Amino acid sequence: MALRLSANSDQVRDIRVIVPTDCVDTYDLPVDVARHWVFLPHAGDLLHLVFLYHMALNGVEIFSTVE
């Protein structure tokens, strides 16, 4: 994401940032575990999709896999 945001701010359009979804993941921290350790819960499945979407909105190319 940092590469794409830097290219966006410099108005460099010929840099491609590609993220294969089978190579990234978001951690999950259930509510009961978060309460025990006094952390905020982190819904991994939901936030994974949200941030892939956020990257796509900023010009990152999202693919399911790289062959």
Side-chain angles (χ1 to χ4, degrees):
M1 185 71 171
L3 292 172
R4 185 67 257 162
L5 291 176
S6 177
N8 289 351
S9 70
D10 294 337
Q11 297 182 353
V12 178
R13 303 289 178 219
D14 60 343
I15 293 177
R16 293 177 67 193
V17 178
I18 299 170
V19 173
T21 59
D22 63 350
C23 293
V24 296
D25 204 357
T26 303
Y27 74 94
D28 186 67
L29 185 61
V31 173
D32 57 332
V33 176
R35 280 188 186 146
H36 175 75
W37 294 103
V38 194
F39 294 138
L40 290 174
H42 194 270
D45 292 338
L46 171 66
L47 293 174
H48 182 73
L49 295 175
V50 167
F51 286 103
L52 287 173
Y53 178 74
H54 180 70
M55 286 188 279
L57 286 175
N58 285 282
V60 174
E61 298 176 51
I62 308 295
F63 292 96
S64 59
T65 190
V66 174
E67 296 181 10

